[in-house]
Amino acid sequence: MKIIHTADLHLGQLMYQDYTREDEHDHFFNQLTTWCRTHQPDALLVSGDIFDIQQPGAHAKRFFNDHFVALHNEFPQMAIVITAGNHDSASRIHADNSVWKMGNVTLVGLPPLADTSSLPDGWQEDFIVSLPQGFIIALPFMTGSRQQTIQSILDYVAQRNSQQKPVVLMGHLAVTGMDSTGHGFEVGNIQTIDTDLLGHGFDYMALGHIHRPQTIGYNDEHLPQSTYPSGIIRYSGSPLHVSCDEEYPHSVSLVQIPHHLGPVTVTRLHIDQLRHFYELPPDGIAADAATALDSVKRFAQQHSTGYFRLTLDGSQPFPADFNQQIYQLIEPYNGQIRFNPKSIWTNLPDTSSDDMHTVFEVAELQQMTDPMEFIRQTQSHYPELDIDQLAQAFGEVENELRRLSEKDNTHNHED
Ligand SMILES: [Mn+2]
């Protein structure tokens, strides 16, 4: 069996709340299509986080429809299996399954129940894509470990696998021992699941969630190709990089398994990125606004497109409208020169013993009727206080709340 494994597309993602990545995703799908043409896989697996948000906009949905229909039209024999990640709405992904089935595309949104005792015999079928070349068990994002449920599906497949065909298990989760470089706090708070709890009997586990490509327990990403004993667990990684902190190369995995328990060969197909991330100024830290603006100006002249982040000296005064000045400067570049407003501040004065309470007198505060005036004055006292960053932080809290409430709904549905 030959498969192409990818994950974490995050279609519809807006960088810094402002910049669409549709052309970057398009560039990726062109490469993916070429690889399907060259390697003729039996299946294309996408292990969760199809969309960036639970209710993607019309553009993102249309992108999904157009691109997967195009893949199916060119490769009608290739099974496409897509599962929901934690960024996706499980029920929305699930709702479209019957339509996509007509095009050899399987969508699995809702996970199996934690307690399957009340289900009719053969419930496992809903999660199994049976191909002439092998079995694919398509599991979406699930909360908690569902060891018995997973093992039950693996056992169900094992009973039907008299011909010893390869078995591939899909999942979207963080496993113990992974390398989550680039994820920052987002993944730090996520519980990891011990690989022993993922069941036994699969040859290859096709994971999504962590953006760095890696085979758990191996340190071999620099190799173009590796061959492993059966039973490996691998993150394909995301197609697009999302920050300067993801400096590692991104790839999709071409996986070849001759038969069940046979060796597993992974070939890393490297993805060319349309747009890159840069740190400015190139020589380190900008001591003042003029230096920072100058480095942005030179960057814009030298690069046709790219994202940049600034490192600024926090011991120096920066004007309150500094970010606005940057936006003005890059405006003529029609969105090709892209500003990350979350600057890195170094040499920040120690504010722990600072007289923060004397910044405003009570009477002064009481006379302040315009909230923007308060924000402006606060910002001039605290250059590290970034209004855009605050707005983005609030946005993230809001998204997380929405995700949790959606998760609750899914949970109720299961009950
Ligand atoms: Mn995820």
Side-chain angles (χ1 to χ4, degrees):
M1 182 161 68
K2 195 194 276 186
I3 60 171
I4 285 185
H5 166 208
T6 185
D8 299 276
L9 306 182
H10 293 274
L11 299 179
Q13 185 179 38
L14 285 180
M15 288 305 283
Y16 317 132
Q17 302 187 299
D18 216 21
Y19 306 112
T20 166
R21 310 195 79 180
E22 205 170 302
D23 55 355
E24 293 174 79
H25 278 120
D26 202 46
H27 187 59
F28 165 68
F29 270 86
N30 286 339
Q31 296 169 74
L32 184 60
T33 305
T34 304
W35 288 322
C36 290
R37 221 171 272 153
T38 309
H39 301 289
Q40 301 283 324
D42 305 310
L44 168 65
L45 312 186
V46 189
S47 301
D49 284 354
I50 310 311
F51 296 107
D52 194 50
I53 55 172
Q54 307 237 345
Q55 300 193 28
H59 271 100
K61 283 168 108 172
R62 181 169 179 169
F63 186 99
F64 174 89
N65 292 346
D66 290 352
H67 286 77
F68 281 103
V69 165
L71 280 169
H72 171 66
N73 282 342
E74 187 171 345
F75 314 104
Q77 301 305 317
M78 178 178 76
I80 301 176
V81 187
I82 298 169
T83 56
N86 58 309
H87 278 248
D88 300 304
S89 159
S91 48
R92 278 164 197 273
I93 296 285
H94 208 77
D96 291 330
N97 184 35
S98 56
V99 179
W100 283 94
K101 260 279 165 0
M102 295 191 290
N104 204 10
V105 179
T106 305
L107 295 183
V108 179
L110 296 171
L113 302 182
D115 176 12
T116 56
S117 56
S118 62
L119 293 178
D121 288 349
W123 62 267
Q124 294 92 339
E125 296 280 355
D126 289 349
F127 303 94
I128 299 168
V129 180
S130 183
L131 303 177
Q133 302 86 1
F135 296 91
I136 295 158
I137 300 171
L139 293 177
F141 174 71
M142 304 187 270
T143 47
S145 80
R146 300 193 190 177
Q147 189 182 9
Q148 283 179 334
T149 308
I150 299 172
Q151 194 56 54
S152 164
I153 306 174
L154 282 163
D155 292 345
Y156 186 91
V157 166
Q159 280 170 20
R160 280 149 191 81
N161 195 11
S162 54
Q163 290 177 277
Q164 298 293 299
K165 292 177 185 174
V167 179
V168 172
L169 177 62
M170 293 169 76
H172 190 91
L173 49 93
V175 297
T176 311
M178 69 186 175
D179 177 348
S180 61
T181 307
H183 279 272
F185 68 93
E186 195 210 336
V187 161
N189 298 329
I190 290 176
Q191 240 191 326
T192 62
I193 292 178
D194 205 89
T195 50
D196 287 344
L197 301 179
L198 299 174
H200 301 279
F202 59 84
D203 296 299
Y204 180 84
M205 184 158 194
L207 286 180
H209 198 39
I210 303 302
H211 290 180
R212 181 176 200 137
Q214 56 192 293
T215 302
I216 301 299
Y218 296 87
N219 185 12
D220 55 4
E221 285 310 305
H222 55 285
L223 299 174
Q225 191 178 76
S226 310
T227 298
Y228 307 92
S230 165
I232 58 160
I233 298 166
R234 179 168 173 82
Y235 290 100
S236 64
S238 62
L240 303 192
H241 48 190
V242 295
S243 76
C244 317
D245 306 321
E246 292 189 9
E247 281 169 35
Y248 48 82
H250 289 237
S251 56
V252 303
S253 303
L254 175 68
V255 184
Q256 283 166 284
I257 315 168
H259 49 75
H260 186 47
L261 305 178
V264 180
T265 300
V266 173
T267 309
R268 299 162 183 88
L269 305 172
H270 284 276
I271 300 164
D272 175 61
Q273 302 286 337
L274 185 68
R275 205 167 271 122
H276 293 272
F277 289 80
Y278 301 87
E279 303 274 7
L280 294 181
D283 53 350
I285 305 162
D288 54 47
T291 309
L293 285 160
D294 193 55
S295 74
V296 174
K297 201 180 291 174
R298 255 179 291 157
F299 172 76
Q301 285 162 359
Q302 283 164 8
H303 294 81
S304 53
T305 189
Y307 297 97
F308 69 92
R309 176 170 70 180
L310 288 161
T311 301
L312 306 171
D313 188 340
S315 69
Q316 302 300 315
F318 275 78
D321 69 342
F322 176 69
N323 278 1
Q324 276 66 38
Q325 291 187 36
I326 302 276
Y327 282 119
Q328 260 171 33
L329 183 67
I330 61 177
E331 218 202 311
Y333 297 93
N334 297 318
Q336 289 306 321
I337 301 300
R338 303 180 162 200
F339 175 42
N340 174 358
K342 277 189 181 180
S343 297
I344 297 174
W345 292 92
T346 60
N347 306 326
L348 280 176
D350 180 17
T351 50
S352 56
S353 61
D354 216 36
D355 52 346
M356 287 175 80
H357 56 284
T358 62
V359 169
F360 299 114
E361 297 297 338
V362 175
E364 207 182 340
L365 269 174
Q366 282 170 339
Q367 285 167 13
M368 235 179 252
T369 52
D370 179 7
M372 278 315 288
E373 183 58 26
F374 171 76
I375 287 165
R376 268 193 296 272
Q377 289 201 30
T378 310
Q379 203 174 23
S380 67
H381 280 85
Y382 297 98
E384 74 275 24
L385 182 65
D386 184 338
I387 303 305
D388 296 313
Q389 191 176 344
L390 279 175
Q392 192 163 344
F394 281 125
E396 278 166 11
V397 170
E398 215 175 298
N399 279 340
E400 188 60 28
L401 284 173
R402 209 180 304 133
R403 199 178 303 166
L404 287 173
S405 83
E406 179 99 21
K407 216 176 273 171
D408 271 350
N409 290 340
T410 314
H411 186 71
N412 292 339
H413 173 89
E414 285 172 23
D415 289 342

